Amino acid sequence: MSDQGHDRELQDERRYVADLYARLDEQRRAAREAYRAALGNEESPTDRDVTVRATAAQVRRLDVADNGLCFGRLDGLSGERSYIGRIGILDEENDHEPLLMDWRAPAARPFYTATGANPENTRRRRRFHTRGRRVVDFTDEVLGRPGEGDGTDTDAALLAAVNAPRGEGMRDIVATIQAEQDEIIRLEHPGVTVIEGGPGTGKTVVALHRVAYLLYTQRERIERHGVLVVGPNPAFGDHIGQVLPSLGESDVVFVTPGDLVPGLHVTAEDGPVAARAKGSLAILDVLAGAIADRQRLPDEPREIELQDLRVRIDAATAQWAREEARATGLPHNEARATFREIVVYVLTERAIGRIGRGWLTRDDTAAWEQMRTELLDELAEHEGFAAALDALWPVLTPEDVLGRLYESPQRLRAAGADPALFRPDGAAWTVSDVPLLDELVDLLGRDPAAARAEDRAAAAEQAAATEYAAGVMEILTLDREELDEDLGVRVEDLIAAEGIADRFEETDTRELAERAAADRDWTYRHVVVDEAQELSAMDWRVLMRRCPARAFTVVGDLAQRRSPAGARSWGAMLDRYVADRWVYRSLTLNYRTPAEIMTVAAALLAEFAPGVTPPESVRASGVVPWARRVDSAGLSAGVEEFVLAEEPVEGTSVVIGPPEVPGAVAPSATKGLEFDAVLVVEPERILAAGPQGAADLYVALTRATQRLGVLHTGPLPAALTGLAETARVGT
């Protein structure tokens, strides 16, 4: 194409995209009006809330589409054109003809998968380069027409994206999805999809785009229950947190394994022995034993002083009551009612027999029942009887059971637990405790008395919210001029209508993600698990409980496993739940790590995981990774020199090292993250830190997208001796 022809087509594309933006603006105005109308309609609260949430979600989807609305075009063999973008836009005046095709639509797939060998009825693929709302330029790729000379480098857009400096968070790849990634994103599998790939293969961003695709194709099924995304640490959640919103999807809850129980945020980790013990399914017997240990028999009869006589709860009575309560199969707190019922029956029978000895028989039914009623009332109010019940069959909470178990060697022995679980402060929770606390919620059940109080409080709160909402709607429907005249002041000076709407929404229409995150019993339609190799068998029980449909996208790399309780194979974790409903896919191309750095990391991988093939880097940066040996005094100076050198450079940087290195981040805290420049400090100490040391060092070495340096005081690990030693940082 001549320069003149290129310029003419560029102007045409600019006009077309400008028209798309005009239509986007029209849709946004209409969506906002629908949202305001939904707030003020007269439907039932439930219908209104559903409508408000739906219109609010539509507003958000249209808002995020503004950034890179249209990024490409497909030209078919018959001359037809299809523009590809973040959302679909139809021509309302022309039989709803598509003006812009959503990237997730089946017809858009050739934009990502067509090749010269298999053009998929496509003659040309055009990629737009945009700045804001303006098309700056475009590049064309001619498909299936050998000999035509106006094609361009098919990897240009991809390489531009992977070479670009990193910002504060992960970016979507909607414009540069590659064929092997697209196959996984669009995979129509209803069960569990495992995506394995080495560092930089894009497995996380592929999983997130898969969620966006599923929300597009199965919105009605998924949207009302939402999606749960589980990541390794809070920084990772922050890093990926904008990918789905940037694709117009916000009904997503982001958590770490330490957040899976509402109200808890746990980051501390156990040592290897305790983590392995807590992560094994054998801990289920320990939890059951810990609860059984709290269902006690009295060493001596418990005496209850009543008004007319003294009764006793002896071991035989408690034994019978315990057997009956356990036989119900109910959770501990709910079975307490049966325990109490048996004890009360024995006590009242004995008391009536003693009080009525010589004058009362069972034939005198009315007198017998009258006396029983009086005794029941007395026991219901008797503090000594309540104390006896609490001693023998107490109402328990998960925190109480687990905390007191850890604090007592005797309780640990009684429950059959590993003595290594002992710790003086039982409630100093670790991440490995979270699935145990969650399990105990089901094993213990709700305290019936507390449940009744919560229900009463919830009913009162709902009544207040309904009354408030009615008042808001009354204000919104009043004649503003008459109201201003009656009050003598402008209504806007008393309360802004927008403020009323905001309060109304906060009261009755919480976002799905907020409601789901606060509800332990919420079930999701789909769950994404990143760094899944780190999850224990007990972690998987929690997640399966959260998603009864067993619809998961599981992302991980077994070679990076650092947890002693983590997965050694995917089948070992999944077969128990979805033996015939999980599929495996792998990603083999490294889009993050340049070849120079991957060569260094691959040498380490060959040592600790010789059977694992490292991913192939798609590019080389031309920057050679370096190492510098310093003495102890020079370590801090070297870190400071690196920080100062990177400060003016566009992009991100990080120092990764052992905890005792000032300013360094632990390798585990960088899992899933990426930085333009990385300085790894004291790799030999990372390697020697424990069984997970090799995986930690591998993670540290593969975080860089451009530049890698290593600062060390001792000899380099054997796998890193190929690094070029330098006299100063950064050269």
Side-chain angles (χ1 to χ4, degrees):
M1 183 186 303
S2 67
D3 291 345
Q4 187 176 14
H6 180 92
D7 291 344
R8 185 169 53 251
E9 287 208 25
L10 179 59
Q11 293 304 317
D12 290 341
E13 301 293 23
R14 285 173 175 170
R15 282 191 290 270
Y16 192 92
V17 172
D19 179 64
L20 291 176
Y21 272 110
R23 294 173 186 269
L24 174 68
D25 291 338
E26 290 176 7
Q27 289 190 16
R28 285 202 293 202
R29 282 192 292 271
R32 289 195 174 94
E33 289 175 4
Y35 175 72
R36 287 192 289 270
L39 280 175
N41 68 28
E42 297 288 336
E43 298 177 46
S44 69
T46 300
D47 291 340
R48 180 180 57 231
D49 291 354
V50 170
T51 304
V52 167
R53 284 194 291 271
T55 53
Q58 177 66 0
V59 170
R60 288 192 297 271
R61 279 192 285 271
L62 294 171
D63 282 343
V64 299
D66 200 292
N67 181 20
L69 172 64
C70 177
F71 48 78
R73 190 184 95 184
L74 284 175
D75 294 355
L77 294 178
S78 302
E80 69 279 10
R81 294 178 179 179
S82 299
Y83 286 83
I84 314 298
R86 291 178 174 274
I87 62 170
I89 295 180
L90 303 178
D91 188 346
E92 304 290 345
E93 300 174 356
N94 187 20
D95 295 329
H96 293 83
E97 284 293 317
L99 298 173
L100 181 65
M101 189 181 302
D102 192 298
W103 67 274
R104 295 166 289 191
R109 189 168 190 176
F111 186 78
Y112 302 109
T113 58
T115 64
N118 181 23
E120 301 187 38
N121 295 317
T122 299
R123 182 177 65 85
R124 178 169 55 188
R125 173 167 42 215
R126 174 167 290 179
R127 298 182 188 273
F128 295 140
H129 312 298
T130 61
R131 184 175 298 115
R133 289 186 163 204
R134 186 170 185 267
V135 177
V136 177
D137 203 349
F138 64 79
T139 55
D140 283 344
E141 180 185 353
V142 175
L143 302 167
R145 297 281 186 94
E148 294 194 17
D150 59 348
T152 60
D153 182 0
T154 61
D155 293 327
L158 171 65
L159 292 177
V162 298
N163 277 313
R166 266 43 184 178
E168 292 302 315
M170 179 179 283
R171 298 165 295 188
D172 67 64
I173 58 169
V174 65
T176 58
I177 294 171
Q178 301 302 292
E180 71 168 359
Q181 297 172 332
D182 185 80
E183 187 272 332
I184 296 172
I185 289 170
R186 298 175 192 265
L187 185 64
E188 296 292 344
H189 178 68
V192 177
T193 300
V194 176
I195 307 172
E196 184 162 25
T201 53
K203 52 188 180 293
T204 298
V205 75
V206 166
L208 296 175
H209 283 67
R210 174 168 166 76
V211 169
Y213 174 78
L214 292 174
L215 281 165
Y216 175 79
T217 58
Q218 305 174 30
R219 188 169 300 282
E220 185 174 345
R221 185 183 74 85
I222 296 177
E223 192 170 43
R224 290 195 178 186
H225 289 260
V227 175
L228 178 67
V229 177
V230 183
N233 52 57
F236 178 79
D238 294 339
H239 182 63
I240 69 170
Q242 289 306 308
V243 174
L244 282 169
S246 75
L247 297 172
E249 308 298 348
S250 59
D251 293 332
V252 180
V253 176
F254 294 90
V255 299
T256 70
D259 304 323
L260 282 170
V261 173
L264 283 182
H265 176 65
V266 183
T267 57
E269 295 185 358
D270 279 302
V273 175
R276 190 177 296 109
K278 293 178 184 180
S280 167
L281 294 181
I283 200 70
L284 294 171
D285 292 333
V286 172
L287 298 180
I291 294 172
D293 186 51
R294 303 292 292 275
Q295 301 165 353
R296 309 304 296 267
L297 303 179
D299 296 328
E300 298 291 337
R302 300 284 301 238
E303 293 193 347
I304 311 298
E305 190 74 39
L306 299 178
Q307 184 175 344
D308 297 322
L309 77 167
R310 180 181 299 167
V311 293
R312 301 190 308 170
I313 306 176
D314 55 27
T317 299
Q319 175 73 24
W320 179 28
R322 186 169 72 174
E323 290 173 357
E324 292 294 326
R326 289 177 175 175
T328 65
L330 293 171
H332 169 89
N333 290 332
E334 296 168 30
R336 174 182 159 105
T338 300
F339 182 88
R340 184 185 188 280
E341 179 183 346
I342 298 298
V343 172
V344 167
Y345 172 79
V346 171
L347 295 185
T348 55
E349 286 292 309
R350 288 176 179 172
I352 295 172
R354 289 168 58 188
I355 294 172
R357 184 177 295 138
W359 63 271
L360 180 64
T361 68
R362 286 190 179 272
D363 293 336
D364 191 352
T365 305
W368 193 283
E369 290 303 322
Q370 175 64 30
M371 191 173 295
R372 177 186 295 278
T373 299
E374 292 174 357
L375 287 168
L376 289 175
D377 290 343
E378 187 173 359
L379 286 172
E381 301 296 329
H382 198 287
E383 293 183 1
F385 178 63
L389 283 180
D390 288 341
L392 300 177
W393 195 286
V395 174
L396 297 174
T397 66
E399 294 80 5
D400 176 60
V401 171
L402 204 59
R404 293 181 67 177
L405 174 69
Y406 291 153
E407 292 172 349
S408 169
Q410 293 79 16
R411 291 187 189 279
L412 288 168
R413 283 196 298 272
D418 191 320
L421 298 185
F422 170 77
R423 63 182 183 223
D425 182 0
W429 306 124
T430 67
V431 174
S432 301
D433 291 323
V434 173
L436 278 58
L437 292 166
D438 188 74
E439 190 75 33
L440 284 166
V441 172
D442 285 348
L443 293 176
L444 295 175
R446 299 179 74 189
D447 172 13
R452 287 192 295 272
E454 289 174 8
D455 291 342
R456 286 194 298 270
E461 183 178 350
Q462 181 60 44
T466 301
E467 182 180 358
Y468 173 75
V472 168
M473 299 319 301
E474 183 178 352
I475 291 174
L476 289 175
T477 56
L478 289 174
D479 185 287
R480 303 304 291 274
E481 292 184 3
E482 292 181 8
L483 191 59
D484 289 347
E485 184 176 345
D486 291 342
L487 292 173
V489 294
R490 295 175 66 248
V491 172
E492 284 81 356
D493 294 335
L494 297 176
I495 180 167
E498 185 177 354
I500 293 175
D502 287 344
R503 288 185 63 191
F504 178 80
E505 185 176 0
E506 289 170 4
T507 302
D508 295 308
T509 58
R510 285 185 302 166
E511 298 294 343
L512 179 143
E514 182 183 358
R515 291 181 288 125
D519 186 353
R520 183 262 174 186
D521 295 320
W522 189 278
T523 57
Y524 298 88
R525 281 292 186 265
H526 198 86
V527 176
V528 176
V529 187
D530 209 309
E531 301 293 344
Q533 73 278 355
E534 306 297 349
L535 269 59
S536 70
M538 286 299 295
D539 290 322
W540 281 107
R541 279 181 66 88
V542 178
L543 295 178
M544 293 295 171
R545 195 176 289 127
R546 299 292 190 272
C547 187
R550 306 291 195 257
F552 285 74
T553 298
V554 176
V555 180
D557 179 11
L558 294 177
Q560 295 187 60
R561 180 185 64 83
R562 63 184 302 276
S563 170
R568 297 180 183 278
S569 73
W570 299 117
M573 292 300 183
L574 298 175
D575 284 346
R576 176 183 302 273
Y577 307 102
V578 287
D580 58 348
R581 291 187 60 235
W582 71 275
V583 297
Y584 176 88
R585 295 291 185 273
S586 64
L587 293 170
T588 59
L589 297 177
N590 188 330
Y591 300 101
R592 175 205 302 148
T593 318
E596 296 89 343
I597 296 176
M598 200 60 219
T599 298
V600 176
L604 175 65
L605 183 67
E607 276 198 2
F608 79 91
V612 177
T613 302
E616 179 185 353
S617 296
V618 300
R619 67 192 172 102
S621 67
V623 180
V624 178
W626 55 266
R628 180 187 176 195
R629 186 168 186 175
V630 296
D631 56 24
S632 299
L635 200 63
S636 295
V639 170
E640 184 177 356
E641 188 178 343
F642 169 81
V643 172
L644 291 174
E646 290 295 334
E647 193 171 308
V649 181
E650 184 181 5
T652 59
S653 62
V654 69
V655 178
I656 304 176
E660 59 271 19
V661 175
V665 177
S668 60
T670 66
K671 297 202 75 168
L673 307 183
E674 57 184 30
F675 307 88
D676 291 272
V678 172
L679 178 66
V680 178
V681 183
E682 299 287 50
E684 65 278 14
R685 283 157 63 183
I686 296 174
L687 196 60
Q692 78 283 0
D696 278 350
L697 183 54
Y698 184 60
V699 168
L701 293 173
T702 54
R703 297 307 94 192
T705 66
Q706 302 291 343
R707 303 175 295 282
L708 171 69
V710 173
L711 207 60
H712 58 108
T713 56
L716 279 175
L720 304 186
T721 53
L723 281 170
E725 288 281 354
T726 182
R728 56 188 296 271
V729 171
T731 59

